[in-house]
Amino acid sequence: MLRLIASCGVMLWPMLVLAAVVLVLIVVNTVRLAQGTSDLRTRSSIDGILFWGAVTAILGFTGQWMGLYKVVGVIFEVAPRIGISPRAVGIGFAESLRTSIFGVAVLLVAGVSWFAISAWWRRNAERGGSAMISTG
């Protein structure tokens, strides 16, 4: 597992932090809604789930492009001297895709959670009426 994390490059660390932020927001908002809270502060926090999930996906794609740039640079540098095997190129591309896959997975979890928690918030707000307007 540690080898996999190390092979994902520098972009994985901020992505792991943002994945943790998304999970904390999911738990916090689920607890708030279970307690019947439907204020605007909670709504804003719910929207943060989707926002930070999208930022994580963007970082994943940025990590992919950084990895691809590095792979292509090595190919151009080394290929004329020793040749490059297709297997080595494939391994490089696979490593560059890991951050994208992780980012999209976080976005998927964030999107589904945002949709479900937003619907729950709307139901609480409709039942509570004026509770939706309070910011406290």
Side-chain angles (χ1 to χ4, degrees):
M1 182 71 174
L2 290 177
R3 184 173 171 238
L4 176 67
I5 291 173
S7 71
C8 288
V10 71
M11 295 305 282
L12 185 65
W13 295 108
M15 291 173 64
L16 287 171
V17 169
L18 290 178
V21 167
V22 168
L23 289 175
V24 166
L25 286 172
I26 289 169
V27 169
V28 165
N29 286 305
T30 301
V31 169
R32 282 183 185 168
L33 290 171
Q35 295 171 346
T37 305
S38 59
D39 57 5
L40 293 178
R41 186 172 138 225
T42 302
R43 178 66 207 179
S44 178
S45 182
I46 291 170
D47 289 341
I49 295 170
L50 191 59
F51 174 79
W52 292 115
V55 169
T56 304
I58 290 168
L59 286 177
F61 287 116
T62 303
Q64 177 186 356
W65 286 105
M66 288 171 60
L68 290 174
Y69 181 76
K70 187 187 291 186
V71 167
V72 171
V74 169
I75 290 171
F76 282 129
E77 183 181 316
V78 176
R81 290 181 285 169
I82 61 169
I84 299 284
S85 74
R87 183 177 185 280
V89 173
I91 290 170
F93 284 127
E95 286 188 17
S96 74
L97 291 172
R98 286 185 185 132
T99 55
S100 294
I101 292 168
F102 182 74
V104 169
V106 171
L107 179 58
L108 180 65
V109 169
V112 170
S113 299
W114 174 83
F115 182 78
I117 293 172
S118 290
W120 191 3
W121 181 84
R122 278 191 295 278
R123 280 191 305 260
N124 280 0
E126 289 170 0
R127 280 189 226 141
S130 64
M132 183 176 94
I133 298 171
S134 73
T135 57

